Amino acid sequence: MKTMLRLRMSAKDAHYGGELVDGAHMVHLFGDLATELLIMRDGDEGLFAGYEEIKFLAPVYAGDYIEVVGEIIKEGNSSRKMKFEARKVVVSRKDISASAADVLEEPIVVCTAIGTCVTPKDCQRK
């Protein structure tokens, strides 16, 4: 079971100088994917129990487009182990003009994670 979202990082997403987006923003997006996956699988939002691993691999800036994918890779009675990947697919080119951007031929993986969520048995509807 997989899901995906794609969105543009805006100036309000920038947290640091140079319009750098906080890495925690990618983790927030992973949480949104986890919620959707649990709704698809169990008919309930469930709860995030924790991350085993998070890797920040490349910077993200305001104006970049990020594609985030998540999938359930292992299931227990109530636990769902998931893996996540965030990729930069469009890069802002403010060096050319304020509105220039390039579609990347090869996406750049900016963050990966593995985490586990739980949907209590009495909340599972599927």
Side-chain angles (χ1 to χ4, degrees), residues 13 16 19 40 47 55 61 63 75 78 82 85 88 91-92 101 113 115 118 122 124 126:
D13 295 318
Y16 298 107
E19 297 192 15
M40 291 166 58
L47 301 165
K55 294 180 182 177
Y61 298 96
E75 293 188 29
S78 60
M82 301 175 187
E85 185 173 273
K88 188 184 312 189
V91 62
S92 177
V118 175
D122 61 339
Q124 295 176 24
K126 294 183 179 183

Side-chain angles (χ1 to χ4, degrees), residues 3-7 26 30 60 64-70 84-90 104 106-112:
T3 192
M4 186 269 290
L5 60 93
R6 182 182 282 186
L7 64 158
M26 298 304 109
F30 293 161
V60 176
D64 292 344
Y65 278 76
I66 301 298
E67 180 178 272
V68 187
V69 295
F84 305 97
E85 185 173 273
R87 303 182 279 250
K88 188 184 312 189
V89 295
V90 173
L104 297 173
E106 290 293 323
I108 298 168
V109 177
V110 299
C111 187
T112 61

